[in-house]
Amino acid sequence: MRWILPRAVFDGETMLRDVAIGIEDDVVIARRHLSALPDGTTAEPVAAILAPGLFDVQVNGGGGVMLNNDPTPQGVRTIAAAHRSVGTHFILPTVITDLPDITERAADAVLAEHGKNGVLGIHIEGPHINVARKGTHDPARIRPFDTRTRNLLERLRNHGLPVLFTVAPELLAPGTIADLTRMGVTVSAGHSAATAEQAELALSEGLRGFTHLFNAMPPMTSRAPGIAAVALNSTAYCGIIADGHHVDDRMVALCWRARPQPGRMVLVSDAMSTIAGPDHFEIYGETIRVQKGRLINARGALAGAHIDLQTSVVRLVANVGLSPQDALMAATTTPRDFMNLPRQPLLGTPLSDLFLAPLPD
């Protein structure tokens, strides 16, 4: 057995100091304080923080592949491999608003790859969203919630696939969120123009989160707080993009300070196929390009993000001013809590599934 000595160890909740990690056959099998190491044992210093593997719940593409454009098992494998190559260990491949057969093919592809290559479930973002807050989603493919979607969600849950479902709650019939929650679907509000009252009603039915906070939502004002203010005031989970383009870094910092309960911010990339891929792609027949770190369409509007989760974690510390512990929590433990998945232990885990974070300790 060999021993390594990271600058610190984040165990999913707490930052630990002076802790050595024992590794055998690339698997972590021991964790001991330096003072408890056997006499004569040498631990190799590692200039990084050891943490659970990064988990991104909003990954639209990678490696030149968009899930909407290639809703196949091979497409899912390419996306997962692209993100693992840049430090993201686990993902929810994300299919955005599209025709029903595309959504179903994407779901079947993720189901086939579930549990392989870090694929932990699926994120279905749309098509049941508010056209007034569509973002880059195709308005021609937005439609009301229907039996076809409900049947798909039920089928996926019956197969044990974790499902994150982004929907505009103001467009759903009363009781729909409660029904999906009983099914085991993680329901998140996004691309929504919900009033504060509508958002609070959704929370009372079991709404568990909010998708890319502030983006594709009305701005909150002093007399019209809307969905964003309800999200901040709630104990629900809030996804946020920290690329410096979608949300100003000062607003990101405000989110962490404003939440009434810690461990409720979920760092997401909203990454497109340009991660570990070409600098452009097509969606809905429109070309999206990287310009100065931003993904923009022909009208100059943001169209997804060109950032990976590891870079996002580093930005939270370097640009937003979060502690390494808070930044790592938002990209490792909190996404698992959000999706009701077990937290990843350090012991018994291959070193390749853990994150050596290039952060100050």
Side-chain angles (χ1 to χ4, degrees):
M1 179 169 61
R2 71 184 179 99
W3 291 86
I4 63 171
L5 179 61
R7 283 195 288 105
V9 173
F10 177 66
D11 66 359
E13 291 186 17
T14 306
M15 197 72 75
L16 307 172
R17 317 286 174 174
D18 299 322
V19 170
I21 299 295
I23 301 167
E24 197 167 272
D25 296 329
D26 192 46
V27 175
V28 174
I29 62 171
R31 185 183 83 186
R32 292 187 186 176
H33 192 271
L34 280 178
S35 62
L37 286 178
D39 291 341
T41 300
T42 300
E44 173 191 348
V46 176
I49 299 171
L50 182 69
L54 300 185
F55 177 24
D56 194 342
V57 303
Q58 192 163 1
V59 173
N60 307 282
V65 170
M66 292 289 290
L67 183 56
N68 282 66
N69 296 343
D70 187 4
T72 65
Q74 180 57 54
V76 173
R77 287 193 291 272
T78 298
I79 293 168
H83 283 269
R84 184 164 281 251
S85 76
V86 292
T88 301
H89 303 77
F90 306 101
I91 65 169
L92 295 187
T94 301
V95 58
I96 66 172
T97 295
D98 217 315
L99 302 174
D101 64 315
I102 297 294
T103 303
E104 290 163 358
R105 286 174 58 198
D108 286 336
V110 174
L111 187 60
E113 292 300 303
H114 180 214
K116 307 172 188 175
N117 307 304
V119 175
L120 298 187
I122 189 170
H123 183 172
I124 300 174
E125 185 185 355
H128 315 302
I129 58 175
N130 195 317
V131 70
R133 293 290 166 179
K134 63 181 178 60
T136 195
H137 292 226
D138 182 2
R141 306 182 195 206
I142 294 172
R143 68 182 195 274
F145 184 75
D146 53 19
T147 301
R148 185 166 180 175
T149 296
R150 189 195 182 284
N151 289 345
L152 172 63
L153 297 173
E154 186 172 36
R155 178 167 65 84
L156 295 177
R157 290 300 302 136
N158 285 342
H159 281 87
L161 185 71
V163 178
L164 175 57
F165 181 51
T166 292
V167 67
E170 70 274 19
L171 303 181
L172 297 180
T176 302
I177 292 175
D179 175 50
L180 296 177
T181 298
R182 283 191 295 270
M183 197 185 293
V185 175
T186 300
V187 184
S188 186
H191 290 274
S192 166
T195 63
E197 291 75 19
Q198 289 169 326
E200 287 169 347
L201 179 61
L203 286 170
S204 73
E205 284 198 20
L207 183 79
R208 191 162 174 82
F210 296 86
T211 297
H212 47 47
L213 186 63
F214 299 125
N215 293 112
M217 296 178 181
M220 56 184 180
T221 66
S222 59
R223 288 184 292 276
I227 186 173
V230 169
L232 285 173
N233 279 315
S234 76
T235 58
Y237 295 86
C238 291
I240 196 159
I241 306 168
D243 61 355
H245 302 298
H246 282 77
V247 184
D248 187 277
D249 290 334
R250 289 162 289 198
M251 291 296 288
V252 176
L254 177 64
C255 289
W256 257 265
R257 293 195 302 271
R259 301 309 306 280
Q261 184 172 331
R264 290 296 187 269
M265 295 301 298
V266 178
L267 185 63
V268 301
S269 70
D270 199 21
M272 299 294 183
S273 61
T274 54
I275 298 301
D279 67 354
H280 63 280
F281 64 94
E282 286 195 4
I283 188 77
Y284 307 134
E286 181 178 26
T287 299
I288 311 296
R289 297 186 180 277
V290 179
Q291 290 190 11
K292 298 180 179 179
R294 303 162 72 241
L295 277 174
I296 61 171
N297 60 22
R299 299 178 299 283
L302 285 172
H306 178 64
I307 194 169
D308 58 81
L309 206 60
Q310 178 176 186
T311 304
S312 301
V313 169
V314 172
R315 286 198 81 262
L316 282 183
V317 177
N319 297 72
V320 178
L322 293 190
S323 68
Q325 178 171 312
D326 285 345
L328 289 169
M329 175 78 76
T332 60
T333 300
T334 306
R336 287 177 175 270
D337 291 348
F338 177 34
M339 291 301 300
N340 284 311
L341 293 173
R343 295 183 175 185
Q344 185 188 28
L346 295 179
L347 296 183
T349 297
L351 191 60
S352 57
D353 279 344
L354 298 175
F355 180 41
L356 287 169
L359 299 170
D361 57 355

